[in-house]
Amino acid sequence: ETGVTQSPTHLIKTRGQQVTLRCSSQSGHNTVSWYQQALGQGPQFIFQYYREEENGRGNFPPRFSGLQFPNYSSELNVNALELDDSALYLCASSPGTAYTDTQYFGPGTRLTVL
Amino acid sequence: RKEVEQDPGPFNVPEGATVAFNCTYSNSASQSFFWYRQDCRKEPKLLMSVYSSGNEDGRFTAQLNRASQYISLLIRDSKLSDSATYLCVVNPHAGNMLTFGGGTRLMVKP
């Protein structure tokens, strides 16, 4: 196991609602990255947090936002949910932001938007 | 054009077969390269990093061709447990914000 945990495991929401997903990083890791994986596709990078600051962002609208806490755990918030937001949301922690720092993935949160 | 392209498969092979997957990437400044394995409805797990010199881990061999922007994975003596989706992953930045291909599905049959 990677030591990265995510909650909840599954979630069902309706269009227009808001959702918060949580991730606890592996001990000693200060960087958390979030990815969205739609069915049948590879994960897509949403954003990365390093020491409580957003360090980079992919091509996602502002209604996708995040936070990182002093213990390096992280939240992903999605406002005004759309049907296309249905996906597996993965967080990955790493010991830093260098290209040599391996990312370790949590088990994911499966979000269904009805 | 997608940043990382893979043949989605599926590749159906018998046990013991050798199978090769390829992927291409568009950003010539990419810094690091990986193969991840993903089992159905599970998280991706790092299989191996990929270097220009090539690297081998047991039955798995990965190769990077920077000039052609091409990455390969060779699996020898396939096992039933190798059945999974194999994700080609490129780090296009100096940091570690990963770009994934769509994955190649492998099914190993008895």
Side-chain angles (χ1 to χ4, degrees):
Chain A
E1 298 298 327
T2 63
V4 181
T5 60
Q6 291 186 245
S7 62
T9 306
H10 297 87
L11 203 51
I12 299 175
K13 292 284 189 177
T14 55
R15 266 190 313 176
Q17 285 189 311
Q18 179 265 342
V19 70
T20 298
L21 310 181
R22 295 178 176 83
C23 170
S24 291
S25 58
Q26 190 176 134
S27 177
H29 287 188
N30 57 24
T31 303
V32 172
S33 304
W34 286 91
Y35 295 83
Q36 179 197 66
Q37 185 174 23
L39 196 62
Q41 298 182 28
Q44 284 193 71
F45 173 71
I46 303 174
F47 43 56
Q48 183 181 81
Y49 278 83
Y50 170 65
R51 294 188 174 182
E52 302 179 63
E53 298 286 332
E54 186 179 291
N55 187 51
R57 188 178 183 92
N59 189 25
F60 279 80
R63 58 190 186 85
F64 285 78
S65 63
L67 276 175
Q68 188 177 33
F69 300 99
N71 66 355
Y72 303 131
S73 65
S74 178
E75 284 183 356
L76 164 65
N77 299 291
V78 188
N79 293 322
L81 283 167
E82 300 177 0
L83 297 178
D84 284 350
D85 296 333
S86 294
L88 179 67
Y89 287 85
L90 295 158
C91 81
S93 77
S94 56
T97 59
Y99 71 90
T100 50
D101 289 319
T102 301
Q103 294 196 12
Y104 298 90
F105 285 83
T109 293
R110 193 164 298 278
L111 173 65
T112 302
V113 182
L114 302 175
Chain B
R1 183 186 170 190
K2 290 184 182 177
E3 290 187 64
V4 181
E5 296 206 59
Q6 296 181 250
D7 180 343
F11 285 59
N12 294 296
V13 303
E15 270 187 294
T18 295
V19 62
F21 305 140
N22 305 315
C23 95
T24 57
Y25 61 96
S26 60
N27 186 342
S28 60
S30 295
Q31 297 285 336
S32 51
F33 310 87
F34 310 92
W35 284 100
Y36 275 73
R37 171 195 168 127
Q38 187 172 31
D39 293 301
C40 188
R41 302 180 76 83
K42 300 279 191 180
E43 72 273 22
K45 293 186 178 177
L46 179 64
L47 181 66
M48 57 199 308
S49 301
V50 189
Y51 307 109
S52 297
S53 55
N55 48 306
E56 189 172 312
D57 183 1
R59 298 182 292 109
F60 298 84
T61 301
Q63 191 75 48
L64 167 65
N65 185 322
R66 281 189 182 270
S68 303
Q69 295 177 209
Y70 170 97
I71 305 163
S72 65
L73 176 69
L74 183 77
I75 305 175
R76 290 181 298 277
D77 188 22
S78 298
K79 311 289 184 193
L80 295 175
S81 58
D82 293 335
S83 297
T85 295
Y86 291 83
L87 296 160
C88 178
V89 185
V90 172
N91 184 4
H93 309 282
N96 63 352
M97 301 168 209
L98 305 178
T99 299
F100 285 77
T104 297
R105 191 169 169 211
L106 171 65
M107 298 179 68
V108 181
K109 311 243 168 150

